[in-house]
Amino acid sequence: MFTIHMNRDTGIEDVVLRVMYCGIDHTDLHQIRGELTSNTKYPLVPGHEVVGEVVELGSEVKKFRVGDIVGVGGIVGSCGECSLCNSNLEQYCSHRILPYNAVYKDGTPTHGGFSSNMVVHQRFAVKIPEKLAPEQAAPLLCAGVTAYSPLKQWMGCNENVKGGIMGLGGVGHLGVKIAKAMGHHVTVISSSDKKRKEAMEDLNADAFLVSTDEDEMRTAANSLDYILDTIPVFHSLQSYLSLLKTQGKLILVGAPQQPLHIQAGDMILGKKTITGSFIGSMEEVQELLDFWAGKGMTTMIELVKMSYVNKAFERMEKNDVRYRFVLDVAGSNLE
């Protein structure tokens, strides 16, 4: 059980949140197990899709008021001075500070949203729109913006954009919904036929492609402008590159620990690009929240109490959730 009550003293530009809800992500599980880094620091309080109510403000905070509902996502600090920080690309700053298993500039450890409250600099919090239920907003703060940030380059494109989504988990299902809301023709790509019904009926995808079916793959060759690859475990990229049009992009947002293999010739002859994307900027998080609320969209979540968190991790690891667990932190007994 996580019972951290304050992660640091309140600074002049800090806001104090009473945590209401927090999404559960695969990264949380990997961090708990020490699988992402060799220097995991315990005790560890995970959680990086945090929604809370502002209960206290630093003297220089102008962005929020007490009572506002705000969100905190994948980073809680950066240097604030480099070209990346000054170009709304602070998530790529070499001095970015993660919500947990990291250290603030004042030397105190960061603790995430599996806790009763949280202190964060005003720059790294966003306003939750009134039209968006707080628990609905939580998955957008990391999983959602992870899909939105790379997909926004095709927003407003006059051409009929055709995209593929690989993986239908927390990030993938939001990728489908976001791409559809942007007006794209969306194909869900999966290794089996098991998720066809939910992709087509629950998420309203336009097409479903089984990557192990050679005939389907041959028919779909050179048909996609992009593929958003959300799969977090090892998989070969080679067969998927054939689906891209000339100058198409394969965007990696999952993070397999093993090397991914390709043949250079397919890349060169098709002028194709493999690129990566890491969460999104604070500006993009706010954009997504406003975009989502403006279109009246909903996330597909399962709301659970903190006492269920270990079971939720077990089920998430088995892909037994549609599509995101969200902790009802304020409604749980944290003592």
Side-chain angles (χ1 to χ4, degrees), residues 21-309:
Y21 301 101
C22 187
I24 300 178
D25 184 83
H26 275 90
T27 303
D28 299 321
L29 183 60
H30 292 317
Q31 286 277 21
I32 290 168
R33 292 174 172 172
E35 295 172 346
L36 295 183
T37 177
S38 59
N39 63 341
T40 300
K41 304 174 183 66
Y42 301 99
L44 182 74
V45 182
H48 59 277
E49 294 178 339
V50 188
V51 177
E53 179 186 5
V54 176
V55 295
E56 183 182 335
L57 299 171
S59 60
E60 296 297 319
V61 174
K62 308 299 183 186
K63 188 176 176 181
F64 303 107
R65 297 178 179 178
V66 170
D68 283 348
I69 307 301
V70 304
V72 179
I75 61 171
V76 295
S78 66
C79 79
E81 300 174 352
C82 68
S83 61
L84 295 169
C85 289
N86 290 320
S87 304
N88 291 313
L89 291 168
E90 64 277 355
Q91 72 271 34
Y92 299 109
C93 173
S94 60
H95 297 288
R96 63 183 173 270
I97 302 173
L98 302 179
Y100 57 90
N101 198 39
V103 179
Y104 285 110
K105 295 177 182 179
D106 62 8
T108 57
T110 61
H111 295 300
F114 289 21
S115 55
S116 58
N117 52 44
M118 189 175 190
V119 181
V120 65
H121 191 284
Q122 64 174 339
R123 179 175 180 179
F124 296 95
V126 292
K127 183 74 179 293
I128 304 299
E130 291 183 4
K131 293 181 179 180
L132 185 57
E135 67 274 17
Q136 286 277 316
L140 302 178
L141 299 169
C142 178
V145 77
T146 295
Y148 175 83
S149 179
L151 293 184
K152 65 177 284 189
Q153 63 188 285
W154 287 281
M155 185 183 288
C157 184
N158 293 327
E159 300 176 5
N160 182 21
V161 176
K162 293 187 176 182
I165 307 292
M166 290 171 55
L168 209 54
V171 177
H173 96 281
L174 291 172
V176 174
K177 292 174 78 76
I178 291 167
K180 285 289 294 180
M182 290 178 174
H184 300 178
H185 179 284
V186 179
T187 298
V188 171
I189 306 166
S190 185
S191 60
S192 75
D193 206 45
K194 291 188 297 183
K195 294 186 178 181
R196 182 184 296 272
K197 184 175 183 293
E198 63 188 84
M200 301 297 288
E201 297 182 9
D202 298 342
L203 298 173
N204 297 313
D206 298 290
F208 188 91
L209 178 61
V210 179
S211 60
T212 53
D213 187 315
E214 293 183 3
D215 290 336
E216 285 192 23
M217 291 290 282
R218 191 178 302 110
T219 300
N222 303 307
S223 66
L224 301 177
D225 295 290
Y226 69 81
I227 297 173
L228 184 70
D229 183 350
T230 74
I231 299 174
V233 296
F234 175 79
H235 55 289
S236 174
L237 297 181
Q238 192 59 43
S239 61
Y240 301 105
L241 291 173
S242 67
L243 301 174
L244 293 172
K245 298 177 182 178
T246 300
Q247 300 189 76
K249 294 184 179 181
L250 193 156
I251 307 160
L252 301 173
V253 295
Q257 298 301 298
Q258 300 87 354
L260 300 176
H261 303 134
I262 62 165
Q263 292 181 4
D266 291 342
M267 302 287 296
I268 295 168
L269 294 176
K271 199 178 181 182
K272 299 175 182 180
T273 302
I274 296 178
T275 186
S277 184
F278 176 58
I279 55 174
S281 68
M282 299 311 301
E283 181 179 67
E284 289 172 330
V285 177
Q286 190 68 67
E287 284 177 8
L288 172 59
L289 291 170
D290 295 339
F291 173 81
W292 197 272
K295 290 186 174 291
M297 299 167 67
T298 57
T299 51
M300 302 172 73
I301 63 173
E302 183 174 335
L303 197 61
V304 299
K305 303 292 187 183
M306 186 68 81
S307 58
Y308 192 78
V309 67

